[in-house]
Amino acid sequence: MHADKLLSQLEQSASEAQRRGLEPADPTPLTFELTREAEDLIGSLERLRSGIHLLSAIEGPNGIRATVRVPDGKRSIVEAVFNRYKTETNTKSGRPKHQDLVENIESIRLATEADLWTDSLAFPQPAETLWWEVWLYVGANDHAAVKQQFADEAASARLEVNPRMLVFPERAIVLVWGSHEQWQRHARLFLHVAELRRAKPLNSEYVESSPRFQRELIDDLVDRVVRPSPHAPAVCLLDTGVAHGHPLLALGLEPNDAQAVELSWGARDHHAGRHGTTMAGLALYGSLVDALQSSELVTLEHRLESVKILPPNGENRLEVYGSVTQEAIARIESLQPQRRRVFNLAVTADCRDGGLPSSWSAAVDQTCVGGALAGEPKLICVAAGNLRDQIVGDDYEYPMLRDSSCGVEDPGQSWNALTVGAMTERVDVGPDPAYADYTPIAMPGDLCPTSRVSLAWPEAARDGWPVKPDVVMEGGNWAVGPGQERCVPDDLGLLTTTLRPGGALLSITHDTSPATALAARMAARIWARYPDLRAEIVRGLMVHSARWTSAMRRRFPGTSKAMIQDRLRCYGYGVPDEARALRSAENLVTLIYEGALTPYCRDEKSKTIKTKEMHVHELPWPTATLQQLGHERVQLRITLSYFVEPSPGRRGWTRRHRYASHGLRFAVFRPTDTEPRFLKRVSTSALDETEADDPGSNGDDLAWVVGPQKRGQGSIHSDWCDATAAELAVCNKIAVYPVTGWWRERKHLERWGESARYSLIVTLETARNDVQLYSEIKSAIRIPSEVTAR
């Protein structure tokens, strides 16, 4: 009876397709309503060799809605599944064939616009006119050709298609202006559509404050600034433009290094020196207080660039922001292709994706990884976003960590970007009598009151997606008055540049935007010191050098894995330390490796895709010194950083529909390991499709803080342990090995032979200043040996 019902619904969908104007030769989008228990069966709806592709899969309160594209002539394959279930049994089990799949299908129908809606917001009303974010199904076809076919159909429906397009494997994304009624009248539009979402407006904050210092202070500082060299790395601001006429900014920003996505916008900051210009001052100088009060020379080791990505008038228009971001980056890189640069993106959209990828965050990931579409890998610092209405609302209670409206904003969920939250050490409200009764909201070393966190993401996203933010930087503090009114007194903010019509040159800013500018500045200074480093390792050094403050540890006390995860989801890995990132010492030694491996290969005999390589690094270890230290405690810290290629369509992220192209993990030689046992353990991990990073890790001899099971989230993995020197004396081997990703699972895309770059950072540190770890390692330095296992 169940099979007959589904076969009848399948036939009805064919009749409905013809009634709506589809030709018999057209592909048919079918929506399957599945039970809530069918998550692991979604992939079974696809038949890639037959061209049957999964477009989207959305889990709701009553079950899962999966939409599949069935080409002409392939409906019989779906019918055959139901007929086998109806008439055939498995010879071994005696159960009906395809029982698990078919009995979890509740109904089938021709897909509608609402079925393709994957946004968390409600589906639009029929007459509502809006910008739609349209994810086009491309498959193996040409992206531009598919877009043109869709644009031709849209023109007949009087829908406006934005000319920009964002490109991903099997998908192209465009914006379309129109109403649901227009979509309904033209069914052929859906021949190309995989998903529909509501396009996002930006929520840019522009802080307004009076200047605190006079022009004489600026002139004095200008006389003490040493300009950056022509070859210095840059912080490139993707913002509202920069007021190049500011005397401090002109020292680090050449006129041709200020651009705009649309030439008609002009390159200057269109908001009277508010956001882009305030970020420029921090990105170039840091907080200006120290520089203005000093009488010393200020040597600029990096420079500025700017690409305006927001229009100069009206509200921020809706755009394919991922495409705008990519276009802005391509524009500035075409002018100075050899320059090292850190991109600073401190404008964000809302947080409704709940940590799942959006078109914008996926575009950031795609740009970071580089490749055929985006060139060389890039380092992008993205703001975690700020609380806005919440901070002044009656329901605000510091800190807001788990409210669903307080999650990291788009595109801060990006896997490859360095996402920056805000903390603060500023607690002095200052002498202004207007704030005599005000007290700071955050205590020293704790979260900035407006900074967003990934603790607010749904549990499923927290378990499966990267730790965000990655790090936190100074973002200023807020104060609360006797009537619970909240504001930012000048002395709780960060002093930076502005250029107002009235002549003001200095202003105050706060929250995650300045924190992001400070992080980008630190990354550029790392590159200035070590210009040959890769983007992946500069990001890795930022995370590797970060530490939690005592306030952060008090907020989430203890060492339980649950408490550590909450701490990570609030503060990332903590506050980066520039000195620690730049320099070793006798008792604190950092080793860096940059390499690449090929994660997968094709087995010509079985035609399957298998794991190919892992690397085993034998380190120039200070064995003698560690053995002499015996029971002294030594910290081992390891960070593995790489970029993934995204596949962001919402089809569920299990097996073949994983978001990441590949995954890498690390494992350390344990005190009780032998070399054969170590290699076997790591090889088992690499072959384990469930991504259990370190089988048997419960018996690990080293007490990792994050732990092998949790550190594998995202594309940067950092962990550390405190052990006796004697225990660490034998831990001189580190393996880097692959786990599965869509390069392996989506073999029809033929990406399984790609090489994956990675960077490995290893630090040994002891509290004893008389220990010479560095000297022994320096004398033992050799080219690191690698063992490639197949």
Side-chain angles (χ1 to χ4, degrees), residues 429-446:
V429 177
D432 191 336
Y435 303 115
D437 296 326
Y438 281 67
T439 57
I441 294 177
M443 291 296 99
D446 212 339

Side-chain angles (χ1 to χ4, degrees), residues 236-237 241-244 253-261 263 266-269 304-308 331-332 335 339:
C236 181
L237 300 161
V242 173
H244 183 268
L253 178 63
E254 296 296 328
N256 196 47
D257 287 339
Q259 299 289 325
V261 170
L263 296 179
R268 295 184 180 276
D269 193 339
L304 284 179
E305 296 174 335
S306 169
V307 184
K308 184 187 288 191
R331 181 178 295 276
I332 199 68
L335 299 176
R339 180 178 289 167

